[in-house]
Each structure stands twice: as structure tokens, then as C-alpha cells.
Amino acid sequence: MRKLLLIMMVAAANTLLAQDIFQQKLYAPDLVLKYREEASLSADQVEKIKSIYNGELAAYNSKKWDLDAMMVKLEQLISVSKVDSKAAMAQLEKSLVLEAEIKKMKLDMLLKVKNLLTPAQQEKLDVHKDEFVNERSITAPLSDNQRVSLRVKPGKDPDAKPLYVIIDGDEKRMTGELPADLDPNTIASMEVLKGTTATDKYGKQGKNGVIIINLKKK
């Protein structure tokens, strides 16, 4: 069990590192097409980038759905009181193979897009590199990372929502809704407080639990 958890932690760290490199050095089609005029893309470049994106989308979604199912199975395997380590390890290996295929597909697409752009166009797009990319995108920062997730299960009262505390350096923001523009790549750590621990620290606002999100230092 300890070996399984260690492999999952290493895989998650490698995933985040690869995604950071992709975001820093390459260009998501969504971003390029959004700022096509600012970057002075030609009509031919726009059509080629659309073709590259659409050509990969069906295969990407198919593999992504398969990976989602594999990770659900892995979660089931390790959730029981006595884990079948052999079965869990085999399931993890299968998911890692598929995840590698997805990353190769993503990298190939991003390289094709970058090679269509001139150095001047890349420079204009660089100013938007830190912009959040919607999760539906094939190039979303965490779209294919199944080991980093935040799920809040609703209780009997649908209005009983947890308090979200977003900490960014010396700034602290409290909200009843998870910000839609929150970039997962900026999250350094998360902490969940429940019961008296939450109310002792945040009073009545924490009666439904508190989710503390610490952002990375800029």
C-alpha cells in the first residue's frame, strides 16, 4: 500500500511538472485563436490551427474517458479496508500507460501549433500565458490529471455550502462559491476544516465546513 501511494505521489508530481512546462513554453489553441487579431495571425494559420485541434479532439476525448473510468476503478480498489495491492498496482500501471499516451498526443499537438507561429507572434501571445484555460479544453492545465481533484458532496440542505478561503500571500478572500476563474496550477495546498475546528476558527461562517486554498507565491 505504501509503495502504491508513493508511485501515485511521484506520478502526480511529474504530471504537474510536465503541465507547467507545456504552459510556459507552448501555446494552447484556445489562447492562440482567442488572440488571433492581437497576434496578427493570417487566415491560413487560423484554419491550420483549427484543423490540428479538431483532428485530435475525438481521439483525446476517447482516451480521456477511458482514463476517467480507470481512475474510478483504482479509487474503488484502494477504498476498501483491506486492499488487494496486486490488483491496485496493476490498475495504476494501466492508467499510467494511458496517461502517457494522452500526454504524447497533447505535446504533439502543441508543438504543431507553436511551429505555425512566428517569433513575433509568440512574443505577443506570451503576455497571455498565465491566463486561465477552461477545463473543457484539450490543453487545460489539469484536465488529464486524475490525482488532483476537489469534490464537495451536497448534504440534505442544498444551501448548506462550505466556506472557501483563498489565501494569496498576505491577502485572504472568503467566499461561498469556488471561484470559476481559479487556475489549478496556482494552488500550492488545500486544507479542509469540519465541525468545531471550522467554527472555532471562522465562527458561524464555518458551520458547513471550510476549505482553505493556499496559492503559490508569485
Side-chain angles (χ1 to χ4, degrees):
M1 182 65 177
R2 182 177 298 176
K3 182 180 178 182
L4 174 64
L5 292 174
L6 178 61
I7 292 175
M8 292 178 71
M9 289 171 64
V10 171
N14 288 338
T15 292
L16 291 173
L17 176 60
Q19 289 163 344
D20 284 343
I21 294 173
F22 286 2
Q23 187 172 4
Q24 291 170 11
K25 305 299 182 182
L26 302 174
Y27 302 87
D30 304 63
L31 194 71
V32 176
L33 295 175
K34 180 177 180 179
Y35 294 103
R36 66 182 80 175
E37 291 188 11
E38 184 177 327
S40 302
L41 265 66
S42 67
D44 183 58
Q45 284 177 307
V46 170
E47 290 307 312
K48 285 181 178 178
I49 291 172
K50 286 182 179 180
S51 178
I52 291 170
Y53 180 87
N54 291 329
E56 298 286 355
L57 190 57
Y60 175 88
N61 283 338
S62 177
K63 290 181 181 293
K64 177 65 169 58
W65 293 328
D66 289 343
L67 181 60
D68 288 343
M70 285 184 181
M71 294 309 298
V72 169
K73 179 65 179 296
L74 178 58
E75 184 177 1
Q76 293 172 344
L77 288 171
I78 65 176
S79 294
V80 297
S81 57
K82 188 173 183 180
V83 179
D84 183 337
S85 298
K86 186 175 181 179
M89 291 293 290
Q91 185 67 16
L92 177 61
E93 289 295 334
K94 288 194 295 183
S95 69
L96 291 177
V97 169
L98 184 55
E99 189 173 53
E101 292 178 7
I102 291 173
K103 282 184 171 48
K104 288 179 182 178
M105 180 183 298
K106 176 185 291 188
L107 179 58
D108 181 62
M109 181 194 65
L110 293 176
L111 292 175
K112 289 177 180 176
V113 170
K114 183 172 183 177
N115 287 337
L116 283 173
L117 303 170
T118 67
Q121 290 172 332
Q122 292 178 25
E123 187 175 347
K124 289 181 179 179
L125 291 168
D126 282 341
V127 301
H128 301 290
K129 274 295 188 68
D130 293 329
E131 184 171 313
F132 178 71
V133 180
N134 192 289
E135 192 172 344
R136 65 175 174 76
S137 171
I138 191 174
T139 54
L142 290 181
S143 63
D144 57 4
N145 181 5
Q146 302 304 306
R147 283 172 289 287
V148 180
S149 62
L150 174 62
R151 292 180 293 175
V152 179
K153 295 182 179 180
K156 294 181 180 180
D157 183 0
D159 295 323
K161 298 178 180 180
L163 173 68
Y164 293 94
V165 180
I166 315 297
I167 300 176
D168 187 3
D170 295 328
E171 297 181 7
K172 181 185 292 186
R173 178 161 53 118
M174 294 188 288
T175 175
E177 298 287 345
L178 186 65
D181 61 347
L182 179 65
D183 184 348
N185 273 332
T186 65
I187 297 175
S189 64
M190 291 191 296
E191 180 182 5
V192 178
L193 305 181
K194 297 186 290 184
T196 55
T197 303
T199 53
D200 285 348
K201 192 167 184 178
Y202 291 95
K204 291 183 179 179
Q205 286 182 292
K207 66 179 181 179
N208 298 315
V210 179
I211 297 174
I212 303 173
I213 301 175
N214 289 285
L215 302 182
K216 296 177 182 178
K217 294 182 179 179
K218 297 178 181 178

